[in-house]
Amino acid sequence: MNMLVKPAEVECRGPLTKSGVHQNLRSYHHQKDLMVTTTSVPGCRWILQGLVGLIAWARMWFKPAKSRALVLKQGKVMDKFCFSLGGIQILSITEKPVRSLGKVFDCTLNDTASLQSTRGELESWLMAVDKSGLPGKFKA
């Protein structure tokens, strides 16, 4: 994934500022998950176009139904910007929350809901292991 993401950052770097420096376009990826972070909405659109072109070159594709968009302005979630991948609109995080890299992202931007859901999942997994009927040394 790194071989596909890094060329898109160079190809789709952000606009030139007055000081002569391009704005940063950062991406975080882990195995099959990818998170693109930009400082402006046009920068995000540029890097999405570059990523779609590079992924198409590699004969792969993104699934817009599994992608989410989050735009923050002055610490508040904005819904007025639309992003698309290959002509299909990406849903906003307010419309449908997503779980990425083990964390739940929703419009509240609080970690308490994520922690509670993770704690609930852990309890259900531990209960399932406890009720499995295996002896103690096989439960680990």
Side-chain angles (χ1 to χ4, degrees), residues 41-42 45 69 71 73 78-83 89-90 92:
V41 173
R45 288 194 176 120
V71 178
K73 185 172 182 178
M78 303 289 290
D79 280 337
K80 69 177 190 175
F81 299 105
C82 296
F83 299 100
Q89 183 178 355
I90 298 174
S92 175

Side-chain angles (χ1 to χ4, degrees), residues 7-16 22-25 43 46-47:
E9 288 180 3
V10 174
E11 176 185 331
C12 305
R13 57 187 177 191
L16 193 63
H22 287 278
Q23 291 182 352
N24 279 346
L25 299 176
W46 291 332
I47 197 161

